[in-house]
mmCIF file of all heavy atoms in Angstrom:
data_model
loop_
_atom_site.group_PDB
_atom_site.id
_atom_site.type_symbol
_atom_site.label_atom_id
_atom_site.label_comp_id
_atom_site.label_asym_id
_atom_site.label_seq_id
_atom_site.Cartn_x
_atom_site.Cartn_y
_atom_site.Cartn_z
ATOM 1 N N PHE A 47 -38.609 190.068 -35.863
ATOM 2 C CA PHE A 47 -39.824 190.770 -36.289
ATOM 3 C C PHE A 47 -41.050 190.074 -35.720
ATOM 4 O O PHE A 47 -41.949 190.711 -35.159
ATOM 5 C CB PHE A 47 -39.888 190.814 -37.815
ATOM 6 C CG PHE A 47 -41.090 191.534 -38.364
ATOM 7 C CD1 PHE A 47 -41.005 192.880 -38.689
ATOM 8 C CD2 PHE A 47 -42.294 190.876 -38.565
ATOM 9 C CE1 PHE A 47 -42.111 193.550 -39.195
ATOM 10 C CE2 PHE A 47 -43.410 191.535 -39.060
ATOM 11 C CZ PHE A 47 -43.318 192.880 -39.382
ATOM 12 N N CYS A 48 -41.077 188.759 -35.842
ATOM 13 C CA CYS A 48 -42.216 187.987 -35.319
ATOM 14 C C CYS A 48 -42.272 188.030 -33.796
ATOM 15 O O CYS A 48 -43.358 188.055 -33.206
ATOM 16 C CB CYS A 48 -42.137 186.539 -35.810
ATOM 17 S SG CYS A 48 -42.287 186.356 -37.591
ATOM 18 N N TYR A 49 -41.119 188.028 -33.158
ATOM 19 C CA TYR A 49 -41.071 188.177 -31.703
ATOM 20 C C TYR A 49 -41.703 189.499 -31.272
ATOM 21 O O TYR A 49 -42.460 189.563 -30.286
ATOM 22 C CB TYR A 49 -39.621 188.137 -31.220
ATOM 23 C CG TYR A 49 -39.212 186.851 -30.552
ATOM 24 C CD1 TYR A 49 -37.935 186.340 -30.734
ATOM 25 C CD2 TYR A 49 -40.076 186.149 -29.735
ATOM 26 C CE1 TYR A 49 -37.526 185.162 -30.129
ATOM 27 C CE2 TYR A 49 -39.687 184.972 -29.119
ATOM 28 C CZ TYR A 49 -38.413 184.487 -29.318
ATOM 29 O OH TYR A 49 -38.021 183.328 -28.714
ATOM 30 N N ALA A 50 -41.365 190.594 -31.976
ATOM 31 C CA ALA A 50 -41.902 191.905 -31.630
ATOM 32 C C ALA A 50 -43.416 191.936 -31.813
ATOM 33 O O ALA A 50 -44.140 192.523 -31.000
ATOM 34 C CB ALA A 50 -41.234 192.985 -32.489
ATOM 35 N N VAL A 51 -43.891 191.305 -32.873
ATOM 36 C CA VAL A 51 -45.341 191.228 -33.090
ATOM 37 C C VAL A 51 -46.001 190.470 -31.942
ATOM 38 O O VAL A 51 -47.062 190.872 -31.436
ATOM 39 C CB VAL A 51 -45.646 190.557 -34.444
ATOM 40 C CG1 VAL A 51 -47.126 190.231 -34.568
ATOM 41 C CG2 VAL A 51 -45.200 191.455 -35.587
ATOM 42 N N GLU A 52 -45.376 189.380 -31.513
ATOM 43 C CA GLU A 52 -45.935 188.632 -30.387
ATOM 44 C C GLU A 52 -45.963 189.507 -29.130
ATOM 45 O O GLU A 52 -46.961 189.527 -28.401
ATOM 46 C CB GLU A 52 -45.111 187.375 -30.121
ATOM 47 C CG GLU A 52 -45.721 186.509 -29.026
ATOM 48 C CD GLU A 52 -44.733 185.526 -28.428
ATOM 49 O OE1 GLU A 52 -43.547 185.864 -28.322
ATOM 50 O OE2 GLU A 52 -45.159 184.435 -28.046
ATOM 51 N N ALA A 53 -44.867 190.223 -28.854
ATOM 52 C CA ALA A 53 -44.818 191.072 -27.669
ATOM 53 C C ALA A 53 -45.914 192.125 -27.694
ATOM 54 O O ALA A 53 -46.491 192.472 -26.662
ATOM 55 C CB ALA A 53 -43.444 191.733 -27.556
ATOM 56 N N ALA A 54 -46.222 192.640 -28.889
ATOM 57 C CA ALA A 54 -47.219 193.701 -29.012
ATOM 58 C C ALA A 54 -48.649 193.170 -28.973
ATOM 59 O O ALA A 54 -49.553 193.854 -28.482
ATOM 60 C CB ALA A 54 -46.983 194.477 -30.317
ATOM 61 N N TYR A 55 -48.868 191.944 -29.463
ATOM 62 C CA TYR A 55 -50.239 191.498 -29.686
ATOM 63 C C TYR A 55 -50.689 190.305 -28.843
ATOM 64 O O TYR A 55 -51.886 190.057 -28.730
ATOM 65 C CB TYR A 55 -50.427 191.135 -31.170
ATOM 66 C CG TYR A 55 -50.650 192.328 -32.043
ATOM 67 C CD1 TYR A 55 -49.582 192.947 -32.681
ATOM 68 C CD2 TYR A 55 -51.912 192.865 -32.227
ATOM 69 C CE1 TYR A 55 -49.772 194.064 -33.481
ATOM 70 C CE2 TYR A 55 -52.112 193.968 -33.021
ATOM 71 C CZ TYR A 55 -51.046 194.567 -33.648
ATOM 72 O OH TYR A 55 -51.240 195.664 -34.425
ATOM 73 N N VAL A 56 -49.755 189.553 -28.261
ATOM 74 C CA VAL A 56 -50.192 188.311 -27.634
ATOM 75 C C VAL A 56 -51.055 188.573 -26.407
ATOM 76 O O VAL A 56 -52.040 187.865 -26.164
ATOM 77 C CB VAL A 56 -48.978 187.410 -27.291
ATOM 78 C CG1 VAL A 56 -48.213 187.943 -26.093
ATOM 79 C CG2 VAL A 56 -49.430 185.979 -27.036
ATOM 80 N N THR A 57 -50.738 189.610 -25.612
ATOM 81 C CA THR A 57 -51.579 189.901 -24.446
ATOM 82 C C THR A 57 -52.972 190.359 -24.859
ATOM 83 O O THR A 57 -53.971 189.850 -24.314
ATOM 84 C CB THR A 57 -50.896 190.955 -23.548
ATOM 85 O OG1 THR A 57 -49.645 190.433 -23.093
ATOM 86 C CG2 THR A 57 -51.771 191.279 -22.350
ATOM 87 N N PRO A 58 -53.123 191.295 -25.818
ATOM 88 C CA PRO A 58 -54.479 191.611 -26.283
ATOM 89 C C PRO A 58 -55.228 190.399 -26.844
ATOM 90 O O PRO A 58 -56.438 190.279 -26.644
ATOM 91 C CB PRO A 58 -54.246 192.664 -27.375
ATOM 92 C CG PRO A 58 -52.945 193.290 -27.023
ATOM 93 C CD PRO A 58 -52.124 192.196 -26.422
#
Side-chain angles (χ1 to χ4, degrees):
F47 181 94
C48 296
Y49 255 143
V51 169
E52 185 199 34
Y55 280 93
V56 74
T57 299

